[in-house]
Amino acid sequence: HFYKRKMDEEYDCIVLGTGLTECILSGMLSVSGKKVLHMDRNKYYGGESASLTPLEDLFTKFSVPSPDESYGRGRDWNVDLIPKFLMANGQLVKLLVHTGVTRYLEFKSIEGSYVMGKSGKISKVPADEKEALTSDLMGLFEKRRFKNFLVFVNSFDEEDPKTWKEVDPKTTTTDEVYKKFGLDENTCDFVGHALALYRDDEYRGKPCGDAIKRIRLYSDSLARYGKSPYLYPLYGLGELPQGFARLAAIYGGTFMLDKEVEEIVMEGGKVVGVKSGGEVAKCKQVYCDPTYVSEKVSKAGRVVRCICLMDHPIPNTKDALSTQIIIPQKQVGRKSDIYVTMVSSTTQVASKGWFIAMISTNVETDNPEAEIQPGLNLLGPIKQKFLQVSDVFQPTEDGTASQLFISKSYDATSHFETTCLDVLDIFKRGTGEDFDFSKVKHTLEDQE
């Protein structure tokens, strides 16, 4: 009865799917005064980026016999299907703070950030001058050059050419900057992949402005909380979409789960509504993920993700209870990086004494399982693993003509910066304006 009444109303926007991208958009649209209806065909929040609980659900999803009692209580587990961390000073945190959803979430700092060096062993990512001098990734003279490079980056100001030291952010390539500071290949490798978080080496031939910004983001994020630049929500990433559902309700938005979407109704090439259960809810715009519009997206590749349940932390990480490891592509003869993330009972996502490690990367061959082997090799004994290969889709048109705005599938990176770029791009296409970050007056600390 309630649903029938809600379906009869007219909306500014209907959002399909409760993956994180759609939830942030729905929150931003609600906050900017739009009337939003948000639907999902699943009974649970999160779409492709859900967290599964209890643990039995994860085993069932992958058709594996039920977990035995050694795993503790099934309800103590919340296992993310797509592993990601948040950069403490990154755009997602700003968007979360702006929408006000952070009052429903609690974040913890990830304890360690590591990178694999040329000897195949993992080292802590040196992110400030002091760490650079003690790092085992570089010899003595290289450390000095790297330190000078960091000092340069941290005092660089795009608005003030006096800080540029003959480097023009729009014309000087990143490679030229590396040469200017005399950095060796190994150092360039971890700077580009572990600090700037690029997935391949194309950035080296491009203007350095973007790379400098990304390294700054890493060190500013690190400066916020100390141990690593990454944050993670207690009880897993599934908390994010649920927070947005609570937020939408405050702004008069409506959430409906377990609603099969029969069709997106078009007239004259434009969206006019969404049909579900034989009813059509009218709207001016639709925002959705690729799974709702298979005929309007193209395949852009595949990502392999492996969830590993372990009863010990990752070796050689000083027993960190949460961590990230980046394996730069060059170190293992690949075209794209392998990411390893690990969380545990300290983030309330596993039963006491258990750890969840995730390995993800772009698929480059016919044997994805072999491609993640360098990541598996770092983990030590694994009690149970779940392998998932997903197609990555992107929209074939920008949506401005039809007013149907489609997000991209989640990539293999272990942080949300790329997802945020997609959110901001869709927001701009849908509203005709850039999101104004100066509206974000608060920080995470204000809300604690």
Side-chain angles (χ1 to χ4, degrees), residues 320-440:
L321 300 174
S322 58
T323 188
Q324 167 179 275
I325 305 168
I326 292 179
I327 304 175
Q329 29 83 306
K330 207 177 268 169
Q331 306 294 352
V332 286
R334 291 175 51 78
K335 297 187 198 62
S336 54
D337 292 1
I338 300 173
Y339 292 91
V340 181
T341 59
M342 190 207 68
V343 286
S344 64
S345 54
T346 53
T347 40
Q348 312 285 359
V349 293
S351 164
K352 203 165 167 43
W354 285 89
F355 300 81
I356 305 169
M358 297 280 266
I359 306 167
S360 52
T361 190
N362 293 341
V363 175
E364 297 176 4
T365 68
D366 308 337
N367 186 356
E369 193 162 358
E371 296 188 50
I372 56 167
Q373 199 56 49
L376 290 169
N377 294 344
L378 299 175
L379 299 183
I382 297 165
K383 277 287 195 300
Q384 181 68 51
K385 66 179 200 231
F386 306 94
L387 190 80
Q388 192 179 14
V389 177
S390 316
D391 290 335
V392 174
F393 294 105
Q394 59 192 28
T396 48
E397 44 183 78
D398 72 358
T400 41
S402 59
Q403 292 297 289
L404 170 58
F405 302 97
I406 305 164
S407 61
K408 298 176 180 168
S409 307
Y410 300 97
D411 64 23
T413 58
S414 64
H415 51 84
F416 276 116
E417 293 305 294
T418 48
T419 303
C420 264
L421 293 174
D422 194 31
V423 167
L424 294 168
D425 189 44
I426 295 170
F427 184 82
K428 181 172 183 170
R429 298 191 321 246
T431 61
E433 52 197 61
D434 281 308
F435 176 70
D436 178 8
F437 275 100
S438 69
K439 287 192 207 137
V440 187

Side-chain angles (χ1 to χ4, degrees), residues 11-13 26 28-37 251-253 284-285 287 427 430-431:
Y11 296 90
D12 293 314
C13 318
S26 156
M28 289 165 73
L29 293 163
S30 297
V31 170
S32 63
K34 299 264 193 272
K35 184 174 173 188
V36 179
L37 169 63
Y251 285 96
K284 305 183 188 76
Q285 294 185 317
Y287 295 81
F427 184 82
T431 61

Side-chain angles (χ1 to χ4, degrees), residues 215-394:
I215 298 167
R216 279 293 284 278
L217 170 62
Y218 191 98
S219 48
D220 292 348
S221 295
L222 187 78
R224 297 287 291 266
Y225 302 102
K227 293 179 185 160
S228 84
Y230 303 107
L231 299 175
Y232 182 81
L234 282 187
Y235 305 105
L237 296 174
E239 289 297 291
L240 293 167
Q242 292 183 51
F244 277 105
R246 293 164 72 175
L247 180 81
I250 294 175
Y251 285 96
T254 305
F255 261 75
M256 298 182 184
L257 292 177
D258 203 11
K259 286 287 280 180
E260 205 43 67
V261 174
E262 282 139 35
E263 70 168 310
I264 296 169
V265 187
M266 312 285 280
E267 273 174 25
K270 263 194 161 42
V271 163
V272 290
V274 170
K275 185 175 175 190
S276 172
E279 312 260 335
V280 174
K282 295 187 188 62
C283 66
K284 305 183 188 76
Q285 294 185 317
V286 169
Y287 295 81
C288 67
D289 72 46
T291 63
Y292 287 86
V293 283
S294 50
E295 72 292 348
K296 291 186 192 304
V297 293
S298 62
K299 189 170 147 179
R302 296 192 300 160
V303 172
V304 54
R305 298 184 175 95
C306 186
I307 301 171
C308 304
L309 309 184
M310 317 190 298
D311 55 8
H312 58 86
I314 298 177
N316 310 313
T317 59
K318 301 198 167 68
D319 288 342
L321 300 174
S322 58
T323 188
Q324 167 179 275
I325 305 168
I326 292 179
I327 304 175
Q329 29 83 306
K330 207 177 268 169
Q331 306 294 352
V332 286
R334 291 175 51 78
K335 297 187 198 62
S336 54
D337 292 1
I338 300 173
Y339 292 91
V340 181
T341 59
M342 190 207 68
V343 286
S344 64
S345 54
T346 53
T347 40
Q348 312 285 359
V349 293
S351 164
K352 203 165 167 43
W354 285 89
F355 300 81
I356 305 169
M358 297 280 266
I359 306 167
S360 52
T361 190
N362 293 341
V363 175
E364 297 176 4
T365 68
D366 308 337
N367 186 356
E369 193 162 358
E371 296 188 50
I372 56 167
Q373 199 56 49
L376 290 169
N377 294 344
L378 299 175
L379 299 183
I382 297 165
K383 277 287 195 300
Q384 181 68 51
K385 66 179 200 231
F386 306 94
L387 190 80
Q388 192 179 14
V389 177
S390 316
D391 290 335
V392 174
F393 294 105
Q394 59 192 28

